[in-house]
Amino acid sequence: MLVVNKFTRFLWKQFSQITWPALVTLLVLHSTLSWVLLRWAGELALLDFHEYLYYYVVTTSTVGYGDLSPTSEAGKYIVALIQIPLGLAIFGALLGKMGQSVGKVLRQVMTGEKDFRYLDTHILIFGWHERRTGKIIEHILGDDKRQQRKILLCVTQEMEHPFYENGMVEFARLRSFTDNEELERIAAKKADRVIVDCENDDMTFTTALKLSKIIADDCHISAYFDEDEKVEMLKNYTTNVEANSSRTAEMLVRSMQDPGSSKLLEEMMSTLRGVTQFSTEIPKSAPSSQFGQLFYYLKQNHDAILLAVAKDRIGMEMKLNPGNDYVIKPGCVIHYISKQRIIANEVNWQAVSKYVIK
């Protein structure tokens, strides 16, 4: 008796709330009942599976092409009094449920409530600035040879998706940038690149510190601070975060001493036009080579100018324009300026190690 009561309550809940299981059950029962009654009425021409499926949908939805219809008096009464009236109610409920589901998805997209656990190797941006964030996304998408990773903008402010019309940009509104459940929702552990640019330095510091412990080994975090103190603190606690701060004072002095320096830096940093600065990691399988060999190889084969070599992605032990005999080892990251990014497999590393400087 207890089992029957539980089952009855379950059914009542499903049908009273018009759930998908309830609607599908009603549709199956109605189509089966219609088939049985039409068979009883002798409408055998309508009952073949393929014919009946077509007839049932066209007739019940009242599209009514007329190419298939009952011919007997009983069959006509069954269609007029049972199949169409009940079917219309079910079809109406189905359409309403579909509209409700689509509306819910759209609301989740606009309000940032969508679940992104399915994402992989995506780019996470933490923080929203009305002017700066748009430029960040524009420059990311401006790289012609970028991997087509989805960009997921994460905010804590009450706002709607600011880049809804851009199919490459998703939007998530989080309770907190350090909440474990929220970080799982945006698939932080599977992200490939992360930018942390929060409302203030304290939030940026705690967010970058939290992410540094959970990201994948090959994921890169870039964090922006207004003050240098937080940059140094973060360097003391992490080894996988590239932290930087505003260099306004340095740039002003450099522009005063060497006019045009600010324009040069702007051109080198922008992916939207002309030659710009890129970096590429040398494959572990590549042989060692000298700076001079790689410098001339890149210039002659890729029209690129080699600027510096670093130990890793973070820029540790960076050597800017070292001597020609400086040894570049596999796994190092090279920095260069070029019209477009050079993918590692586009370079003949074996040829580089044997390159003769002319």
Side-chain angles (χ1 to χ4, degrees), residues 240-277:
N240 58 351
V241 179
E242 183 176 351
N244 55 80
S245 60
S246 173
R247 297 294 178 184
T248 304
E250 293 92 330
M251 198 66 256
L252 284 172
V253 174
R254 178 59 62 197
S255 297
M256 179 271 293
Q257 294 175 334
D258 300 286
S261 296
S262 60
K263 183 63 176 178
L264 173 62
L265 182 61
E266 179 185 340
E267 291 294 325
M268 289 182 62
M269 292 295 102
S270 175
T271 59
L272 302 179
R273 59 184 183 276
V275 175
T276 188
Q277 182 266 329

Side-chain angles (χ1 to χ4, degrees), residues 108-109 111-120 122 124 150-154 161 169-174 182-188 190:
Q108 289 178 335
V109 170
T111 59
E113 299 174 4
K114 186 178 172 183
D115 195 316
F116 296 98
R117 287 180 174 85
Y118 65 90
L119 286 180
D120 192 14
H122 50 299
L124 288 173
K150 282 280 189 178
I151 300 172
L152 177 53
L153 172 62
C154 304
H161 196 334
V169 184
E170 299 281 6
F171 174 69
R173 187 166 64 84
L174 312 183
E182 294 284 55
L183 292 175
E184 288 182 9
R185 180 165 72 92
I186 60 173
K190 297 188 291 182

Side-chain angles (χ1 to χ4, degrees), residues 17-42:
Q17 296 180 358
I18 316 180
T19 63
W20 279 111
L23 286 174
V24 172
T25 301
L26 284 173
L27 185 64
V28 171
L29 290 174
H30 179 259
S31 60
T32 303
L33 175 62
S34 299
W35 188 90
V36 170
L37 292 175
L38 289 171
R39 182 178 178 81
W40 170 81

Side-chain angles (χ1 to χ4, degrees), residues 197-321:
D197 184 22
C198 301
E199 297 176 43
N200 54 66
D201 281 3
D202 289 337
M203 185 181 293
T204 298
F205 180 84
T206 55
T207 302
L209 187 62
K210 174 72 174 184
L211 291 169
S212 70
K213 308 300 181 184
I214 66 173
I215 59 170
D217 293 338
D218 56 350
C219 179
H220 181 69
I221 300 178
S222 177
Y224 175 80
F225 295 91
D226 291 319
E227 303 295 336
D228 292 335
E229 289 79 3
K230 287 292 194 301
V231 174
E232 296 304 319
M233 286 178 60
L234 194 61
K235 288 180 179 178
N236 292 333
Y237 287 104
T238 65
T239 57
N240 58 351
V241 179
E242 183 176 351
N244 55 80
S245 60
S246 173
R247 297 294 178 184
T248 304
E250 293 92 330
M251 198 66 256
L252 284 172
V253 174
R254 178 59 62 197
S255 297
M256 179 271 293
Q257 294 175 334
D258 300 286
S261 296
S262 60
K263 183 63 176 178
L264 173 62
L265 182 61
E266 179 185 340
E267 291 294 325
M268 289 182 62
M269 292 295 102
S270 175
T271 59
L272 302 179
R273 59 184 183 276
V275 175
T276 188
Q277 182 266 329
F278 296 102
S279 67
T280 298
E281 184 173 350
I282 300 176
K284 301 290 186 182
S285 58
S288 297
S289 60
Q290 294 182 338
F291 183 87
Q293 291 176 316
L294 185 55
F295 181 94
Y296 285 100
Y297 175 89
L298 291 179
K299 183 58 181 175
Q300 292 188 12
N301 293 275
H302 297 276
D303 196 22
I305 298 177
L306 183 61
L307 299 175
V309 181
K311 181 180 178 181
D312 55 23
R313 296 192 309 271
I314 307 301
M316 297 297 293
E317 300 180 20
M318 180 173 289
K319 302 294 182 181
L320 183 63
N321 192 29

Side-chain angles (χ1 to χ4, degrees), residues 75-93:
K76 293 177 181 179
Y77 275 112
I78 291 169
V79 172
L81 300 179
I82 297 176
Q83 183 181 346
I84 291 180
L86 295 178
L88 275 177
I90 296 172
F91 271 51

Side-chain angles (χ1 to χ4, degrees), residues 31-86:
S31 60
T32 303
L33 175 62
S34 299
W35 188 90
V36 170
L37 292 175
L38 289 171
R39 182 178 178 81
W40 170 81
E43 300 290 348
L44 301 181
L46 304 177
L47 302 183
D48 178 74
F49 177 77
H50 299 289
E51 296 286 349
Y52 182 69
L53 178 62
Y54 168 76
Y55 158 78
Y56 177 78
V57 173
V58 169
T59 303
T60 307
S61 61
T62 68
V63 174
Y65 292 126
D67 52 344
L68 288 176
S69 59
T71 56
S72 67
E73 186 175 319
K76 293 177 181 179
Y77 275 112
I78 291 169
V79 172
L81 300 179
I82 297 176
Q83 183 181 346
I84 291 180
L86 295 178

